[in-house]
Amino acid sequence: MNTATNVLPIPALPIIQSTVLASAPTFAGGRHDGHMNVLCALVRGEKTAEEAANYLKENVIDTSNDKAFSLFVGERRPEQDAACAAYIASTVLIPPNFAEFLEPATEKSDDNKEDKQEFSINQERLNASLTTKLAVALANVDVFALIARILPDNLTVEAYRTEISRLFGLLAPVYMERVQAYFHNGLNFNLLQMQNNQFTFTSSNGYVFNYDINGLSLRLGGINWYGSGQLMGQEHYLNVDYFTPKVAELLSC
């Protein structure tokens, strides 16, 4: 049987992206920024194991009822790094939370006839948010491109997901170092679009960050740095063992 007849080339990026996104911990079925901020602070050494334990106690959290909370217990270990890295990476792969930099307006506009709550942009928080988003997106590009390049051929989709999860876990410390390396205070940003279905800004170091219904895209000098199946302007494909052996049998007839 010629196994090559089972194989199809499939873009690597959506498989890598969805795998990392699915690796981010959830609590009672949903994301929880507060919990993950504590876990990541523990990973970065900003909180001690005792402080993490106190957080669980103060919030009346029983670690036996949720596997994700077991990450808060004990000494630092690789699975904590992997969970924090996946959470950080996922923050630019989901719709942005505008509450990060919006605050209630002190004065209502003249055309607000229905007396609705209005919001204004806190510029300091906006700059911090956009600086973080750009740093995370760039770290995603680096590590996702590396993973795409070193993945083996002829695995099934599920086997690729398992291998991607393993590799990303191994690279978690490097990933978090890349985020920190790309975090540059003092960048200037131009917020171009801020709606429920589109969020676009440019940075003074040349990047165009966009999130819309197609997900994240990042451009540099007109090149797709991330998105549309490309990483660093290149398409990465996986030769996926896509069909059952029966396909090869049928084609050999």
Side-chain angles (χ1 to χ4, degrees):
M1 181 179 71
N2 181 7
T3 56
T5 56
N6 288 352
V7 172
L8 286 179
I10 295 178
L13 178 55
I15 299 178
I16 296 172
Q17 178 176 279
S18 61
T19 299
V20 172
L21 186 58
S23 299
T26 57
F27 303 87
R31 292 172 62 88
H32 196 293
D33 294 336
H35 295 335
M36 288 309 303
N37 287 338
V38 171
L39 179 61
C40 288
L42 179 65
V43 167
R44 290 191 295 263
E46 298 167 0
K47 284 188 180 296
T48 65
E50 182 179 0
E51 287 174 322
N54 287 337
Y55 174 81
L56 297 177
K57 184 178 180 180
E58 291 167 1
N59 288 275
V60 196
I61 295 170
D62 182 357
T63 58
S64 64
N65 291 334
D66 195 324
K67 182 179 178 181
F69 282 119
S70 67
L71 293 166
F72 291 69
V73 180
E75 298 300 320
R76 181 176 172 183
R77 52 196 187 276
E79 53 264 40
Q80 292 174 322
D81 289 30
C84 178
Y87 166 74
I88 293 171
S90 72
T91 58
V92 296
L93 304 178
I94 61 174
N97 178 12
F98 298 145
E100 292 177 11
F101 48 80
L102 291 180
E103 59 187 10
T106 55
E107 296 181 3
K108 291 184 170 58
S109 59
D110 294 337
D111 58 355
N112 188 351
K113 306 300 184 183
E114 299 179 6
D115 198 34
K116 292 181 179 179
Q117 175 66 65
E118 295 183 345
F119 295 89
S120 62
I121 292 175
N122 181 307
Q123 196 61 46
E124 183 178 350
R125 283 161 51 186
L126 175 66
N127 287 343
S129 177
L130 301 190
T131 300
T132 301
K133 290 182 188 303
L134 182 59
V136 170
L138 290 172
N140 285 7
V141 172
D142 288 356
V143 173
F144 289 8
L146 175 59
I147 290 174
R149 189 176 66 82
I150 64 178
L151 285 169
D153 282 333
N154 301 339
L155 300 182
T156 64
V157 171
E158 285 309 309
Y160 271 119
R161 293 191 186 281
T162 299
E163 181 65 3
I164 290 165
S165 182
R166 185 185 75 85
L167 290 172
F168 188 79
L170 290 175
L171 292 168
V174 174
Y175 173 83
M176 288 185 282
E177 289 174 1
R178 303 298 285 182
V179 173
Q180 192 60 41
Y182 280 125
F183 190 93
H184 298 303
N185 284 316
L187 288 176
N188 295 316
F189 298 97
N190 184 14
L191 185 58
L192 302 178
Q193 191 90 355
M194 189 180 71
Q195 298 178 347
N196 290 334
N197 60 353
Q198 186 166 13
F199 181 66
T200 308
F201 66 85
T202 61
S203 67
S204 55
N205 56 348
Y207 291 97
V208 181
F209 179 111
N210 181 72
Y211 186 95
D212 58 22
I213 59 173
N214 296 310
L216 171 66
S217 68
L218 189 69
R219 295 179 65 82
L220 176 66
I223 297 171
N224 281 331
W225 213 239
Y226 186 106
S228 300
Q230 295 185 331
L231 291 161
M232 297 183 178
Q234 299 182 40
E235 294 181 345
H236 296 267
Y237 283 89
L238 302 175
N239 290 318
V240 179
D241 185 2
Y242 199 75
F243 294 102
T244 65
K246 184 172 183 62
V247 169
E249 294 172 7
L250 292 171
L251 293 175
S252 65
C253 295

